[in-house]
Amino acid sequence: MKKKFFALTCALACALPLFLLLAGCGGKYDYAKHLSEIKSDIFIAETEEFSVTLSLSEREYPYADDGIVCPRSKLAEISIVAEENADYSVFVTGETEWGGETSYRNVRGDHYYSQGLETFPEGSVTMRIEWGEEKREIVATSVKTEKTISAEEALQFAVAHEKDAIARMTTDGVFGGEFRVRILRRDATYYYVGIVDKTGKTISLLLGSETGEVLARRESV
């Protein structure tokens, strides 16, 4: 009986590496685990007095272009570009109200506020802007539509487009870099995907937000 048990144990031990190898070959590599930054949504509102942008991101800490992924945290960032020079406060209202006083950024010429969040809003948000004796309530809507691909899908398009570069950054079946995916709003909505190796060298791609088509490519030296 002991001999049969020992023989079965040996057989299983020998078969396990082969099973794992086959499973690894048949499975799809999860590049999303190498995401060090995801800007997943942008909410925009404009009035005659100011324009407001709310960006939602998950970002690694510490933040560095080193090809190494660190744990991410959720962050909301609000930017107010106003005609009047004043001290602004901004609050996102709803079931739970959050917000506070902004700080002015000389380089960008906007009033900025950021706060960590546990969950992100979707679709639209109502915000209250306060300055001096004035206050305004506005509704900011997402730049995403039902046709907009997700950040994870944008990453898949980027990986497929850069398969040779990805292969060069892969050793023993493990990808040795990090990805940054950001939704952008200019004349239209786009995705930026950055592929960063361990030296900080970055491949930057601009993708269509609905098709995933690569519209522009740049590689840092």
Side-chain angles (χ1 to χ4, degrees):
M1 185 67 180
K2 290 183 178 179
K3 289 183 178 180
K4 289 183 178 180
F5 178 77
F6 179 75
L8 179 60
T9 303
C10 290
L12 289 173
C14 292
L16 183 58
L18 178 59
F19 171 77
L20 293 176
L21 178 62
L22 292 174
C25 292
K28 189 175 181 180
Y29 191 85
D30 183 16
Y31 288 100
K33 66 184 179 182
H34 297 281
L35 277 164
S36 57
E37 180 185 5
I38 309 170
K39 180 179 284 188
S40 57
D41 210 345
I42 299 173
F43 297 80
I44 295 176
E46 291 189 8
T47 71
E48 293 182 355
E49 298 162 308
F50 40 69
S51 61
V52 184
T53 302
L54 166 61
S55 301
L56 304 178
S57 303
E58 291 185 47
R59 190 176 300 166
E60 70 173 356
Y61 182 84
Y63 189 84
D65 291 328
D66 55 9
I68 301 172
V69 178
C70 295
R72 301 191 307 261
S73 57
K74 293 179 181 291
L75 180 69
E77 297 175 285
I78 300 176
S79 170
I80 302 173
V81 178
E83 292 291 334
E84 183 179 342
N85 184 18
D87 294 327
Y88 290 87
S89 294
V90 58
F91 300 91
V92 176
T93 61
E95 294 184 5
T96 303
E97 182 173 301
W98 57 272
E101 185 177 344
T102 66
S103 58
Y104 184 73
R105 300 190 294 188
N106 286 304
V107 175
R108 300 196 178 187
D110 66 346
H111 301 266
Y112 175 79
Y113 177 83
S114 66
Q115 181 172 323
L117 296 179
E118 292 186 2
T119 58
F120 283 159
E122 296 180 0
S124 64
V125 293
T126 301
M127 292 188 281
R128 186 177 69 254
I129 313 296
E130 299 179 357
W131 70 103
E133 300 298 322
E134 302 289 334
K135 64 174 62 177
R136 299 286 186 275
E137 189 171 272
I138 59 175
V139 176
T141 55
S142 170
V143 300
K144 297 168 67 175
T145 69
E146 65 279 358
K147 295 182 179 180
T148 305
I149 62 176
S150 68
E152 290 76 13
E153 289 171 324
L155 174 61
Q156 292 174 13
F157 280 108
V159 168
H161 187 271
E162 297 295 325
K163 56 182 179 296
D164 291 339
I166 296 295
R168 290 194 299 270
M169 297 169 65
T170 301
T171 304
D172 296 330
V174 179
F175 177 69
E178 62 182 323
F179 299 102
R180 305 197 184 284
V181 180
R182 306 171 191 146
I183 193 167
L184 305 174
R185 180 66 185 183
R186 298 293 184 267
D187 57 320
T189 303
Y190 304 94
Y191 272 105
Y192 163 84
V193 179
I195 306 173
V196 187
D197 68 15
K198 291 184 178 179
T199 68
K201 186 177 180 181
T202 303
I203 297 172
S204 299
L205 304 175
L206 184 69
L207 279 64
S209 65
E210 296 183 0
T211 64
E213 178 187 0
V214 175
L215 305 174
R217 182 186 189 276
R218 179 170 58 86
E219 190 168 347
S220 64
V221 180

